[in-house]
Amino acid sequence: MRILILGGDGFCGWPSALHLSAHEHQVTIVDSFVRRRIDDELRVQSLTPISTLSERVRAWSEVTGRRIDVVEFDLAHEYDVLLDVLSKVRPEVIVHFAEQRAAPYSMKSPELKRYTVDNNLNATHNLLAAVVQAGLDAHVVHLGTMGVYGYESVPVDLPEGYLTVSYPDRDGHLHSREILYPTAPGSVYHLTKSLDQLLFQFYARNDGVRITDLHQGIVWGTQTDETALDSRLINRFDYDGDFGTVLNRFLVQAALGHPLTVHGTGGQTRAFINIRDTVRCIRLAAESGDAVDGRVRVMNQVTETHRVSDLARLVAETIGARISEVPNPRAEADENLLSARNDHLLGLGLEPTRLDAGLLQESVEIAQKYADRVDVSRIPSTSYWNSARRSSAAGGDA
Ligand SMILES: O=c1ccn([C@@H]2O[C@H](COP(=O)(O)OP(=O)(O)O[C@H]3O[C@H](CS(=O)(=O)O)[C@@H](O)[C@H](O)[C@H]3O)[C@@H](O)[C@H]2O)c(=O)[nH]1
């Protein structure tokens, strides 16, 4: 299939592009390189030395003989370029990763809250409007997040996107209806993904756009079979307090002998997935677009759930590290339950990669290899969700 990957230079986008190309799809990457500019702005760099995108695709072609095309533009603000690309490439599948994806970055300042909303909502809406305007019957595969569901402590297995509710009419007769599972986003970033869902519902209903929304958990790991083929293909690995995700951060911290930064007591339960499964899920979603009609298909892209404190203990025991409970910069429940269904992707053939010491070790080896690239001062998370969190971190009253 002809597949357009929006945000194909990023942490999930790049390994997905390679995986789809390795599976004989004709891949075109779109990227504005804003993620690389944010590294400069934050004065931090990926733990792993990532090549430029032109070097990456050249290396891929040398190693495998497969071609990946690249187009540089800003999806959120260059609508005419988008229309032009859609009419030239005529993609059958469009994978949409092109959003600001870090919760702490989205909460750092009023400017970055506004940037996140402006970028993410415009990007998604431009895409949907352009698919309709170009008259394309493309299947849109969007990377959403498990965080749209929020973290209530109700012992349920979260369904995949929808809930059937009953409500009485004026005469007391019961009616039932399927609604989107109520959202409870925990950051401006997660809020944008919640709002994306309404855009998808509208365009699926009004224009028949075929859409799959993947509610992904927290990704851990960095390499995939394809990115490991050549050092120029290496994936990025964020460890800093804004973009680093929890388990990857713990692994780098352990490799450096830095205490593991558990927020609060670490009672937060979250959903996880290894990057190798992310790319497989993207392919399974892309290749099953015929099953998608006017109803948005929502799939929970998660393989397991863990408590942050349990992950810290596992890393401390297997790699050797000290655990430090730091004041939580986020406004989030100290403890929650979480369990989610993932029948859709299992039904499509996903065989989950479970958290195991061997794979943890792979990331630790990468962290040790590139330890001299780490700026330890960038490890703590200093993005505070509100003024109470800021003053509590400073030792004042919360
Ligand atoms: O050093 C740290 C970093 C994080 N946490 C805690 O770990 C949990 C997860 O934080 P995270 O930064 O790993 O994940 P999150 O901010 O939710 O965002 C990440 O995971 C989301 C999936 S999910 O969490 O919504 O399922 C994706 O959508 C995002 O793109 C990705 O950045 C939070 O309770 C946080 O307070 C720590 O205890 N210590």
Side-chain angles (χ1 to χ4, degrees), residues 212 214 280-281 283-289 291 297 299 342-351:
T212 297
L214 299 167
R280 290 184 194 120
C281 290
R283 182 170 59 79
L284 292 171
E287 291 175 349
S288 59
R297 178 175 64 167
M299 308 203 274
N342 59 355
D343 311 65
H344 270 112
L345 283 160
L346 294 180
L348 291 173
L350 177 70
E351 289 171 18

Side-chain angles (χ1 to χ4, degrees), residues 11-70:
F11 173 60
C12 291
W14 171 242
S16 299
L18 295 187
H19 186 67
L20 290 165
S21 174
H23 283 262
E24 313 281 334
H25 296 295
Q26 227 174 292
V27 172
T28 301
I29 287 177
V30 166
D31 210 289
S32 69
F33 304 120
V34 65
R35 181 66 194 87
R36 291 175 186 254
R37 288 194 294 279
I38 291 175
D39 277 344
D40 296 340
E41 167 198 316
L42 295 173
R43 297 213 190 94
V44 69
Q45 57 184 355
S46 160
L47 167 76
T48 47
I50 50 174
S51 304
T52 61
L53 184 56
S54 51
E55 279 164 356
R56 284 175 151 185
V57 296
R58 199 177 324 116
W60 180 245
S61 153
E62 279 169 31
V63 173
T64 65
R66 293 182 208 287
R67 184 174 127 190
I68 293 180
D69 292 321
V70 172

Side-chain angles (χ1 to χ4, degrees), residues 101-104 144-147 151 189-190 216-218 244-246 249-250 253 261-263 268 270-271 308 328 330 332:
R101 68 103 185 133
T145 177
M146 282 296 292
Y151 300 104
Y189 153 70
H190 288 99
Q216 186 170 248
I218 301 169
T245 49
V246 64
R249 276 165 61 70
F250 287 170
Q253 292 165 2
T261 55
V262 170
H263 291 168
Q268 310 91 326
R270 294 290 182 270
V308 167
N328 194 343
R330 307 184 186 202
E332 61 183 359

Side-chain angles (χ1 to χ4, degrees), residues 156-178:
V156 290
D157 293 332
L158 285 174
E160 303 199 71
Y162 297 97
L163 196 63
T164 302
V165 295
S166 300
Y167 56 100
D169 65 17
R170 287 191 221 117
D171 302 320
H173 301 303
L174 273 187
H175 296 262
S176 69
R177 176 177 172 188
E178 187 181 64

